[in-house]
Amino acid sequence: MSFPASVVNSRIEAFKQACVERGVKVTHQRLEIYRALASSVTHPDAETIYRIVRKRIPTISHDTVYRNLKLLSDYGLIAVAGTSNERLRFDANMERHHHFVCVQCGLIRDFCSEQLESIHCPQEAHAFGEPVSLHIEVKGVCTKCGSHKKKKK
Amino acid sequence: MSFPASVVNSRIEAFKQACVERGVKVTHQRLEIYRALASSVTHPDAETIYRIVRKRIPTISHDTVYRNLKLLSDYGLIAVAGTSNERLRFDANMERHHHFVCVQCGLIRDFCSEQLESIHCPQEAHAFGEPVSLHIEVKGVCTKCGSHKKKKK
DNA sequence: GTATCTGCAAATGCTTTGCATGTCG
DNA sequence: CGACATGCAAAGCATTTGCAGATAC
């Protein structure tokens, strides 16, 4: 359940450089947290990453893992899988539709699109299991957050 | 920020019938929770729904809202927006890729697809803001969970 | 050397649960 | 009437934060 070392190593080198560019210190803990994530083909949660990193740094604390995952995602060095960096959101619309998700405020809005109706589940996805539904997720900045930004300038 | 009453009312009628079919009691609170959700074009979280419902039922409690949202999503009467009914999951893969999400165990795996490379963001999504990225989310049952099911039979 | 990071422990906030009472069908 | 739903209050977890000491650069 992990990538070949060559892939991981090249990712790590790119990561180090990206840290330097952004003025983020490359600490031992931070590097191992990144390594754990970059090695995994699934998308582990904080707890899972914590357990992996502990094998290499037994003294690492829970909050260091959380803090670094948050910091790295703020700097765009890693991503959060799925939509919510927040709470659960519910949806009464059970028909096929797609989502626009604001990366700043978490707003989710539905849209439909004829173009997207024709998409069918690609072969590649079948390798992992039996697909049930498919939808598009567009991440972006909503008009509200976009205009706030302008006001600040 | 809400649907026309005709749409909401027809959803509510369908909801009532679906409840009866599944043996779920149509209580005052449950109906108002559903109404709040069905009326909203955004995808409110539990707290927001709680605040809306409180206008009609001031004595409703927090946990009734949580319990009903969970119950309704278990019965497939409403959906959870996004992937995670769990914890945050992280992702070191910053290139364009798509997700297969197991609805049972929460597993997330990446896949790429030439067919999907050609998809571009539909006009409809631009109405909500400035799109940044786009990816497909396939929900389904992973091979592991699928085989567990078979063993139980 | 200094700004940043880590570890600890305690706090915060969302969500769940046990139990007695109330309500739907 | 009897099973299921609600309200209350308290517990459970994931995640965050304040602070003193440690570390990267």
Side-chain angles (χ1 to χ4, degrees):
Chain A
M1 280 300 227
S2 59
F3 289 107
S6 58
V7 173
V8 176
N9 287 333
S10 71
R11 278 189 177 181
I12 286 174
E13 288 313 311
F15 172 73
K16 283 181 186 170
Q17 197 181 325
C19 282
V20 172
E21 281 167 12
R22 282 157 232 238
V24 173
K25 288 184 182 168
V26 183
T27 63
H28 186 199
Q29 290 87 336
R30 190 163 286 164
L31 197 57
E32 290 306 326
I33 288 167
Y34 183 80
R35 187 199 304 278
L37 191 56
S39 304
S40 177
V41 295
T42 62
H43 297 285
D45 57 28
E47 182 62 29
T48 306
I49 294 168
Y50 171 68
R51 260 180 270 139
I52 296 169
V53 175
R54 247 160 85 99
K55 289 178 192 164
R56 285 164 168 268
I57 314 177
T59 57
I60 200 168
S61 66
H62 241 134
D63 46 297
T64 298
V65 175
Y66 277 100
R67 241 185 310 225
N68 276 304
L69 289 171
K70 193 173 173 49
L71 183 142
L72 296 181
S73 69
D74 285 348
Y75 276 97
L77 296 168
I78 63 172
V80 177
T83 55
S84 74
N85 14 351
E86 322 190 307
R87 306 159 234 178
L88 283 182
R89 286 162 168 276
F90 300 89
D91 190 352
N93 184 359
M94 302 299 279
E95 285 152 45
R96 187 173 189 175
H97 65 277
H98 309 287
H99 284 154
F100 177 93
V101 182
C102 177
V103 293
Q104 283 182 37
C105 70
L107 171 90
I108 304 178
R109 293 293 300 271
D110 293 348
F111 65 91
C112 294
S113 161
E114 275 194 35
Q115 182 214 340
L116 302 183
E117 286 308 313
S118 59
I119 295 173
H120 51 270
C121 187
Q123 199 53 43
E124 289 86 345
H126 288 264
F128 301 123
E130 192 58 40
V132 172
S133 70
L134 178 153
H135 82 118
I136 310 271
E137 228 170 76
V138 174
K139 293 190 184 187
V141 181
C142 74
T143 47
K144 211 173 185 178
C145 290
S147 64
H148 284 175
K149 212 175 187 175
K150 283 174 189 167
K151 281 177 190 170
K152 280 182 187 172
K153 280 183 186 174
Chain B
M1 279 301 224
S2 60
F3 288 107
S6 58
V7 173
V8 175
N9 286 334
S10 70
R11 278 190 176 178
I12 286 174
E13 287 314 309
F15 171 74
K16 284 181 186 171
Q17 198 181 326
C19 281
V20 173
E21 281 166 13
R22 282 156 233 235
V24 173
K25 288 183 184 169
V26 183
T27 63
H28 186 200
Q29 289 88 337
R30 190 164 287 164
L31 196 57
E32 290 307 324
I33 289 167
Y34 182 81
R35 186 199 305 278
L37 191 56
S39 305
S40 177
V41 295
T42 63
H43 297 285
D45 57 27
E47 183 61 30
T48 305
I49 294 169
Y50 172 68
R51 259 181 271 136
I52 295 169
V53 175
R54 247 159 84 99
K55 290 177 192 165
R56 285 164 167 269
I57 314 177
T59 58
I60 200 169
S61 67
H62 240 135
D63 47 294
T64 298
V65 174
Y66 277 100
R67 242 187 307 226
N68 276 304
L69 289 171
K70 193 172 174 50
L71 182 142
L72 296 181
S73 69
D74 285 348
Y75 275 97
L77 295 168
I78 63 172
V80 177
T83 55
S84 73
N85 13 351
E86 322 190 307
R87 304 159 234 181
L88 284 183
R89 285 160 168 279
F90 299 90
D91 190 350
N93 183 0
M94 302 298 280
E95 285 151 47
R96 186 173 190 174
H97 64 277
H98 309 284
H99 284 154
F100 177 93
V101 182
C102 177
V103 293
Q104 282 182 37
C105 69
L107 172 89
I108 304 178
R109 293 295 299 272
D110 293 349
F111 65 90
C112 294
S113 161
E114 277 193 33
Q115 183 214 337
L116 301 183
E117 287 308 315
S118 59
I119 295 172
H120 52 270
C121 187
Q123 198 52 43
E124 289 86 343
H126 287 264
F128 301 123
E130 192 59 40
V132 173
S133 70
L134 179 152
H135 81 117
I136 309 271
E137 228 170 77
V138 174
K139 294 191 183 185
V141 181
C142 73
T143 48
K144 211 172 186 180
C145 290
S147 64
H148 283 174
K149 212 174 188 176
K150 282 174 190 169
K151 281 177 189 169
K152 281 182 186 172
K153 282 183 186 175

